[in-house]
Amino acid sequence: MHSLVFLCAQKVVSHHSTVHGALEFIPKELYPVLFKAAFMDKRTLVLQDLVQTWPFPVLSFQKLLRKCQHCDRALLQEKPNKLCVQTVILGVVAYLNERQCLQVLDMTGLQDDGIDQGPESMSLWSRTVTLAKACIDVSKHQSNSVTLPPPQPVSVEVHVDLFVNSTSYGVLKDALQNNANSVLRLKCRDFRAEELPIASTVGLLEFLDPTGVRQVDLRFNNLGLSGLRVILPHMAKFTNLVSLKLPYSNIDVRRLSAGMEGSLHYFATQLSRLSCLKELNLGSSRLSGKLRQLLGDLQGPLESLELAFCYLLPNDLAYLSQSLHTPTLKKLDLSGNNLSDSLLQPFQHLLEEASSSLLHLDIMECRLMDIHLESLFPALCRCSQLRYLGVFGNPLSARGLKNLLQRTMGLLYLQLVIYPYPVDCYSENLPWPPTSSNLLNGSVDEEKFSRVSAELQQMLLTASRTDVVWTTNLCRHNTLDYFNL
């Protein structure tokens, strides 16, 4: 339910002329709730007025749009409206010519899945481009101004998450190049780059403020060990770097030449220089037998480790279960590794060692059948803090799923389970054992699956565990983010 204050704020912002004429008389304590009401109801004219007269040094989307006592909606969990975001940016640009209080615009934390969803939404990529263009325009206006100096315009630091690819590289580079001298300055928190050449990636990293970056995510960049050897030294300046993601980097250690052995050692040495590192994603790298070498010299324990489709060997999991990282792991992703054979026992031991801290476990497409899951239950059921479990893409039967649900009923914090379509719900005979490709591309008998799904929901209802979401919908996969664990 909305509070009376919020309902009144909605009424006020519905009349722009009233707000515009009354802002100088409105107590500054009401600005936050008016901002939230205007943002939610897409009152862009009111938003611009509020931003241009903002009476505080900080305007933070995270603080203003998260769920609060006034409103039962958390707008940070929704796609941001394009016009509203653009209005805030334009309002800040206009603000630069005024002697006001605003020093920081914090736009971090807005919901994003990488793409725009409909004409009214705005993705992280679009926000990056819009902000970069605004910075360039402000810099051009500064350089073209030849009037005698009026009072020095205020400067505003914009805290942002940035997403760049080959299409947006040029405009972001131009904006960051002018950053030091601009009155509108970008300060990056999370940096994500896709499909960029090595030189372009290094160039952008060099322009980022070293103290503000907490995450670097480089994916689909085809770096290989030689590329990472070039890029990793530029990470050391990020003294507060907590998360490093390097999925799909084309690393393959299975047949290393003498020179590549040196590159692997150098890569591990550079990783060890990241003293604050808590999250590491090396997904889709071929790391067979090299996990000890890569992680053994890290200065502190990791809390999130993603090793999906990494062709791991038993000695990799054996090392991990004995390492300093395992007792602190909150998130572990071993999807795509064959846990049904020689990795099963080492994985069981690893799960036991991580059981006291583990919140998020991904073991999708690991070829786990009912019999393998049965052997994992003792360790799995010890993970008393577990909130998320991903087992999609494993050849489990309806009976196996029901057994999994029953056995995990005692995990009181479990919120989300992504489960596979049962093998006995496919409309044609699957080869046995089926591969992930067989399961993903096979035809599911919807009537059979509906019955199984209904039975699972009934089991949850009977056990009074309707707080747990059981779904086959992979779109729910990223619900638990590392920084929110």
Side-chain angles (χ1 to χ4, degrees), residues 394-413:
N394 286 295
L396 301 173
S397 69
R399 181 178 179 180
L401 287 173
K402 292 173 189 175
N403 198 18
L404 174 63
L405 188 151
Q406 190 66 48
R407 297 293 293 271
T408 57
M409 207 77 79
L411 300 178
L412 300 182
Y413 296 101

Side-chain angles (χ1 to χ4, degrees), residues 182-228:
S182 177
V183 293
L184 189 65
R185 298 191 299 274
L186 298 179
K187 185 168 184 177
C188 180
R189 182 187 71 162
D190 296 347
F191 177 77
R192 176 177 167 187
E194 289 188 3
E195 299 178 329
L196 279 187
I198 293 172
S200 299
T201 303
V202 168
L204 292 179
L205 290 174
E206 284 299 292
F207 287 129
L208 299 181
D209 183 326
T211 62
V213 178
R214 70 171 190 177
Q215 181 181 91
V216 173
D217 184 346
L218 308 177
R219 57 182 63 202
F220 305 113
N221 295 308
N222 199 31
L223 297 170
L225 280 173
S226 57
L228 289 171

Side-chain angles (χ1 to χ4, degrees), residues 71-82:
C71 173
D72 57 4
R73 280 175 62 185
L75 295 179
L76 276 177
Q77 297 173 6
E78 303 174 11
K79 271 284 199 171
N81 179 268
K82 181 182 295 185

Side-chain angles (χ1 to χ4, degrees), residues 22-73:
L23 275 177
E24 61 181 302
F25 306 109
I26 292 177
K28 66 178 185 179
E29 290 81 9
L30 293 179
Y31 267 69
V33 68
L34 289 171
F35 182 96
K36 186 163 187 173
F39 197 97
M40 190 176 87
D41 292 347
K42 303 178 181 63
R43 306 291 183 181
T44 54
L45 293 176
V46 175
L47 266 181
Q48 186 152 357
D49 283 346
L50 289 169
V51 173
Q52 286 182 233
T53 57
W54 195 252
F56 305 107
V58 177
L59 194 163
S60 169
F61 276 63
Q62 289 202 65
K63 291 180 179 177
L64 293 169
L65 301 182
R66 66 188 177 191
K67 194 171 181 179
C68 68
Q69 71 269 25
H70 298 305
C71 173
D72 57 4
R73 280 175 62 185

Side-chain angles (χ1 to χ4, degrees), residues 4 25 34 39-40 49 84 154 158 166 177 188 220 233 262-263 291 303 314 322 376 412 428:
L4 183 59
F25 306 109
L34 289 171
F39 197 97
M40 190 176 87
D49 283 346
C84 289
V154 296
V158 186
S166 56
Q177 276 182 317
C188 180
F220 305 113
S263 293
L291 215 53
E303 294 181 9
Q322 300 165 7
L376 292 174
L412 300 182
E428 74 272 354

Side-chain angles (χ1 to χ4, degrees), residues 121-132:
S121 63
M122 196 176 201
S123 70
L124 177 57
W125 185 90
S126 298
R127 293 198 299 276
T128 299
V129 172
T130 301
L131 275 168

